[in-house]
Amino acid sequence: DTAVSQTPKYLVTQMGNDKSIKCEQNLGHDTMYWYKQDSKKFLKIMFSYNNKELIINETVPNRFSPKSPDKAHLNLHINSLELGDSAVYFCASSPEGRDYYNEQFFGPGTRLTVL
Amino acid sequence: RKEVEQDPGPFNVPEGATVAFNCTYSNSASQSFFWYRQDCRKEPKLLMSVYSSGNEDGRFTAQLNRASQYISLLIRDSKLSDSATYLCVVNRPASGTYKYIFGTGTRLKVLA
């Protein structure tokens, strides 16, 4: 009965590789997000999709590309991984991101380590 | 200066104590406010939304002061299980939608 799930939970890879993280929500929400939590534990939004439409695209390297095949899924593909990409990546969802009062629900996170 | 500021702590308090956290935000367009709790190596979980009139949920009370742009969280009768990082979150307009701005979090350790 997991609400927001992510795979994989841990990802260890070499610099220069390409990797993907998958996210799925079964809450029927319209809006999904990707966040990065760095080594200082600071959480920052990267992308947001509403019904498969990209609505927030923060200043992140274009090596990061989100893809939303349907409103229940939001994947994150990272090309040419760098050491600085090591972080925990959280997926989240909310009923409708364009309503200010809506709360967000987070997935368990993917801990990415780039060697 | 960060858009949402919190004292990082840690706050070390004995069981049963009352502890209060404050959070300030700089963007006056901010519309809604939340407290999340994050345990070590886990995802943030919603603790409570914060309303202008203040709201209470059991041992937890949240207050919002829009004029001074600060939010508070009061925890009464602290339990060992309250040990966690508490994240202040502000939801504000951005690019025709809203986005969460997180504070850096305040660490709480409740001691036996």
Side-chain angles (χ1 to χ4, degrees):
Chain A
D1 62 341
T2 305
V4 183
S5 58
Q6 293 179 230
T7 52
K9 192 166 182 184
Y10 299 97
L11 187 50
V12 181
T13 187
Q14 300 284 339
M15 272 176 59
N17 284 350
D18 303 339
K19 290 292 177 187
S20 291
I21 307 172
K22 296 188 175 186
C23 178
E24 176 181 1
Q25 55 94 4
N26 63 5
L27 296 166
H29 288 170
D30 284 343
T31 309
M32 296 184 74
Y33 310 82
W34 277 112
Y35 287 87
K36 179 180 180 181
Q37 188 167 40
D38 59 26
S39 56
K40 294 183 178 162
K41 309 295 184 192
F42 185 59
L43 259 166
K44 194 166 189 297
I45 190 165
M46 301 173 70
F47 302 103
S48 173
Y49 271 76
N50 190 72
N51 264 319
K52 304 198 298 176
E53 178 193 352
L54 181 65
I55 55 171
I56 292 177
N57 186 355
E58 293 290 286
T59 308
V60 298
N62 57 14
R63 299 180 294 104
F64 290 78
S65 52
K67 281 192 173 52
S68 181
D70 56 60
K71 74 172 194 177
H73 295 85
L74 180 61
N75 303 324
L76 183 65
H77 188 76
I78 316 171
N79 287 328
S80 303
L81 277 154
E82 299 178 357
L83 292 177
D85 298 333
S86 295
V88 182
Y89 292 84
F90 287 102
C91 178
S93 73
S94 72
E96 167 52 76
R98 285 182 279 221
D99 291 333
Y100 66 87
Y101 48 83
N102 274 309
E103 299 140 353
Q104 294 182 21
F105 299 86
F106 286 77
T110 295
R111 187 171 294 273
L112 171 65
T113 303
V114 182
L115 304 174
Chain B
R1 185 170 175 246
K2 290 200 182 298
E3 188 172 340
V4 179
E5 297 261 24
Q6 292 182 254
D7 181 341
F11 284 55
N12 296 324
V13 303
E15 266 189 294
T18 296
V19 61
F21 307 137
N22 288 329
C23 165
T24 57
Y25 61 95
S26 58
N27 193 320
S28 58
S30 301
Q31 287 286 342
S32 55
F33 310 88
F34 307 92
W35 283 101
Y36 277 74
R37 170 195 169 127
Q38 188 173 26
D39 292 285
C40 190
R41 302 177 81 88
K42 298 280 190 183
E43 73 273 24
K45 289 189 175 165
L46 179 68
L47 182 65
M48 55 200 303
S49 303
V50 188
Y51 303 120
S52 295
S53 52
N55 47 304
E56 191 173 308
D57 183 1
R59 299 181 292 109
F60 299 85
T61 300
Q63 295 273 358
L64 166 64
N65 184 320
R66 284 188 186 268
S68 302
Q69 296 185 189
Y70 84 81
I71 306 141
S72 64
L73 178 68
L74 183 78
I75 306 176
R76 288 180 299 278
D77 189 23
S78 299
K79 313 285 184 199
L80 293 176
S81 57
D82 293 334
S83 298
T85 296
Y86 291 82
L87 300 166
C88 175
V89 182
V90 160
N91 202 15
R92 65 149 169 90
S95 307
T97 183
Y98 287 86
K99 72 175 185 180
Y100 268 18
I101 308 296
F102 280 83
T104 49
T106 298
R107 272 185 64 203
L108 172 66
K109 288 185 182 179
V110 181
L111 308 170

